[in-house]
């Protein structure tokens, strides 16, 4: 008689553990089926927290104003004492990504008013020019790191051009972003310092463009003709949000997409031979393994019932974007990468009022930069054992540490042999 293996009594790996970051999908799949509104202890401060993993529930939370982004206002004492209020003590504590209407409405109106059709078309030219320049540089070598030498350079170059900022500050900004969203819970006390550094540079940029306006996004945000009068801090906060959304997120998405295509050479071949797939491919790659693992904290403003679970007032709630995007209730064969997939939209950039501010730019960069890489290097191959490719330890951002590639199989490993 063969005894069946008992079902696991908990997730395969602990949430936000080192093992989880390398393979979150296995744990998230278990949670979707067994504990879709999952109570656990957040690693920082052991704060009682709930993770939501099913697609419909994730969209419901993101669309319901009883789940507030104003964590400093509505969060319970335990949450606030742990230092989990985003950007606490900086002007971003009241920034566009973490405030509710009606204040959010004023800020969002100005921000989106600057994203005109004409300006987006200008960005298309900018992205193509930057991608071409960076690919030429990569072509001069037989091996390179997609994260630093391609994705990072594309994100920095495009952001610098559209904001009118000095490109030499990009690495400082990356350092500040790492401090703002630390992977090590022991470093959470440095988060306000990281946010403050981002705000400092955004303030410098606003001051510079106020004195010398140009045809760039920062100047457009300052000069907005929407009838909304913003303070200097509010403008600085919007520019800082664009910097955060257009830098590491874009870099992470391009890197994740390239690895996904290297893992699925048949799909890479489709993309290379059919230019019409560029835009739908971006949507599928965002669904399959996007750069945002979760949205930022939401906090309940009152007691709320969600999928049979009662959440007390002041409860911190995290919505799992990666989890929702592979929910079999919404997507057929969700663990399959299919660039020709049609149907339901993903939540890779969130949903509702706080849908990612830089989503249009990220989509544009992805639709140009990802196909261009595989077109330029049709024999692109991973230049490391697959098991050596690692993700950063970060609960909100899904990004590779490095992605070494070779322009052909013959070039792979050559740098090590030389």
């Amino acid at each position: 008689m063969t005894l069946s293996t008992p079902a696991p009594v908990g997730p395969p790996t602990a949430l936000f553990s080192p093992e989880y970051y390398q393979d979150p999908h296995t744990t998230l799949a278990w949670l979707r089926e067994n504990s879709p509104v999952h109570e656990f202890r957040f690693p920082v401060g052991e704060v009682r927290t709930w993770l939501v993993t099913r697609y419909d529930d994730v969209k419901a939370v993101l669309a319901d104003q009883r789940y507030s982004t104003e964590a400093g206002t509505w969060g319970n004492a335990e949450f606030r004492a742990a230092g989990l209020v985003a950007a606490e003590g900086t002007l971003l504590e009241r920034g566009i990504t973490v405030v509710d209407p009606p204040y959010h409405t004023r800020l969002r109106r100005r921000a989106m008013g600057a994203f005109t059709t004409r300006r987006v078309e200008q960005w298309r030219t900018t992205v193509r020019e930057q991608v071409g320049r960076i690919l030429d540089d990569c072509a001069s070598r037989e091996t390179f790191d997609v994260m630093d030498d391609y994705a990072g350079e594309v994100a920095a170059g495009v952001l610098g051009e559209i904001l009118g900022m000095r490109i030499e500050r990009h690495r400082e900004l990356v350092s500040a972003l790492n401090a703002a969203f630390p992977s090590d819970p022991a470093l959470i006390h440095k988060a306000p310092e990281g946010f403050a550094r981002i705000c400092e540079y955004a303030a410098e940029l606003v001051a510079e463009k106020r004195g010398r306006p140009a045809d760039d996004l920062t100047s457009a945000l300052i000069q907005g003709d929407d009838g909304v009068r913003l303070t200097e801090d509010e403008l600085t906060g919007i520019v800082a949000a664009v910097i955060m959304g257009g830098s590491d997120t874009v870099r992470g998405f391009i890197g994740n997409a390239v690895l996904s295509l290297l893992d699925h050479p048949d799909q890479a071949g489709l993309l290379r031979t059919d230019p019409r797939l560029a835009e739908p491919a971006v949507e599928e790659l965002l669904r399959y393994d996007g750069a945002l693992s979760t949205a930022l904290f939401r906090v309940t403003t009152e007691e709320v019932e969600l999928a049979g679970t009662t959440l007390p007032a002041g409860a911190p709630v995290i919505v799992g974007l990666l989890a929702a995007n592979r929910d079999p209730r919404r997507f057929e064969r969700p663990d399959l990468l299919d660039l020709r997939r049609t149907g339901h939209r993903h939540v890779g950039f969130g949903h509702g009022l706080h849908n990612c501010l830089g989503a249009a730019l990220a989509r544009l960069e992805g639709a140009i930069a990802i196909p261009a890489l595989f077109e330029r290097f049709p024999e692109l191959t991973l230049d490391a054992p697959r098991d050596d490719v690692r993700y950063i330890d970060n609960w909100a951002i899904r990004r590779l540490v490095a992605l070494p590639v070779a322009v052909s199989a013959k070039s792979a490993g050559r740098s090590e042999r030389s």
Side-chain angles (χ1 to χ4, degrees), residues 193-269:
E193 176 188 330
F195 283 112
R197 286 162 57 195
I198 295 167
C199 292
E200 179 183 346
Y201 183 61
E204 291 176 10
L205 188 56
V206 169
E208 178 183 325
K209 295 299 176 180
R210 193 179 288 285
R212 291 183 296 174
D215 188 15
D216 55 51
L217 184 60
T218 306
S219 300
L221 288 167
I222 294 170
Q223 299 162 2
D225 58 1
D226 49 16
V228 177
R229 186 174 182 84
L230 300 185
T231 68
E232 202 76 357
D233 279 356
E234 289 170 337
L235 283 168
T236 298
I238 293 174
V239 173
V242 173
I243 289 173
M244 289 188 289
S247 181
D248 212 39
T249 304
V250 171
R251 179 184 176 211
F253 168 54
I254 293 175
N256 291 356
V258 171
L259 180 60
S260 296
L261 290 167
L262 289 173
D263 284 342
H264 299 82
D266 60 323
Q267 297 297 301

Side-chain angles (χ1 to χ4, degrees), residues 88 128 169 187 214 254 261 318 324 329 367 383:
E88 188 173 26
R128 285 180 177 142
R169 293 295 294 269
L187 299 177
I254 293 175
L261 290 167
I318 297 172
R329 295 161 190 78
D383 192 27

Side-chain angles (χ1 to χ4, degrees), residues 281-326:
V282 164
E283 302 309 317
E284 173 66 352
L285 289 162
L286 283 164
R287 182 202 68 81
Y288 183 76
D289 209 13
L292 299 177
S293 299
T294 72
L296 297 178
F297 278 109
R298 297 301 196 271
V299 176
T300 52
T301 61
E302 59 186 67
E303 184 177 283
V304 180
E305 185 84 9
L306 178 64
T309 298
T310 301
L311 304 174
V317 178
I318 297 172
V319 293
L321 304 180
L322 286 181
N325 283 336
R326 294 207 188 183

Side-chain angles (χ1 to χ4, degrees), residues 32-237:
R32 275 195 310 266
E33 300 310 313
N34 297 280
S35 184
V37 182
H38 182 68
E39 181 181 340
F40 72 107
R41 293 287 174 174
F42 193 78
V44 178
E46 291 294 308
V47 175
R48 189 183 180 204
T49 305
W50 285 262
L51 175 67
V52 182
T53 52
R54 289 183 180 172
Y55 181 93
D56 287 345
D57 295 336
V58 163
K59 288 192 72 174
V61 169
L62 293 176
D64 189 338
Q65 292 189 36
R66 293 177 300 170
Y67 298 89
S68 172
T69 58
E70 295 186 10
T73 302
W74 299 103
N76 60 35
E78 180 187 33
F79 179 86
R80 287 183 279 110
L84 293 176
V85 176
E88 188 173 26
T90 74
L91 63 87
L92 282 179
E93 188 177 355
R94 295 289 296 167
I96 188 170
T97 58
V98 289
V99 292
D100 298 331
Y103 186 47
H104 173 268
T105 307
R106 291 180 61 249
L107 301 181
R108 185 84 180 191
R109 182 177 174 186
R110 170 61 60 85
M112 298 313 296
F115 286 68
T116 63
T117 301
R118 181 186 70 85
R119 186 162 285 111
V120 171
E121 284 307 306
Q122 287 179 328
W123 294 349
R124 190 178 303 277
T125 300
T126 298
V127 174
R128 285 180 177 142
E129 290 174 350
Q130 291 293 323
V131 166
R133 174 185 64 79
I134 296 161
L135 282 173
D136 287 343
D137 183 59
C138 291
S140 67
R141 292 165 282 172
E142 294 185 327
T143 62
F144 57 93
D145 177 12
V146 169
M147 298 309 298
D148 284 345
D149 301 325
Y150 188 62
E153 289 296 319
V154 169
V158 170
L159 193 64
E161 286 291 321
I162 69 170
L163 281 176
M165 71 183 197
R166 298 184 300 279
I167 198 67
E168 65 270 14
R169 293 295 294 269
H170 176 69
R171 294 200 180 279
E172 296 175 38
L173 287 171
V174 170
S175 171
L177 285 164
N178 289 338
F181 298 98
S183 56
D184 184 350
L187 299 177
I188 193 69
H189 65 284
K190 290 186 174 292
E193 176 188 330
F195 283 112
R197 286 162 57 195
I198 295 167
C199 292
E200 179 183 346
Y201 183 61
E204 291 176 10
L205 188 56
V206 169
E208 178 183 325
K209 295 299 176 180
R210 193 179 288 285
R212 291 183 296 174
D215 188 15
D216 55 51
L217 184 60
T218 306
S219 300
L221 288 167
I222 294 170
Q223 299 162 2
D225 58 1
D226 49 16
V228 177
R229 186 174 182 84
L230 300 185
T231 68
E232 202 76 357
D233 279 356
E234 289 170 337
L235 283 168
T236 298

Side-chain angles (χ1 to χ4, degrees), residues 13-24 27 43 183-185 390-395 398:
T13 56
L15 284 169
F16 307 152
S17 64
E19 296 79 16
Y20 168 85
Y21 292 125
Q22 303 313 313
D23 176 23
T27 295
S183 56
D184 184 350
R390 310 290 289 175
Y391 293 86
I392 63 171
D393 291 355
N394 190 291
W395 67 274
R398 174 100 166 136

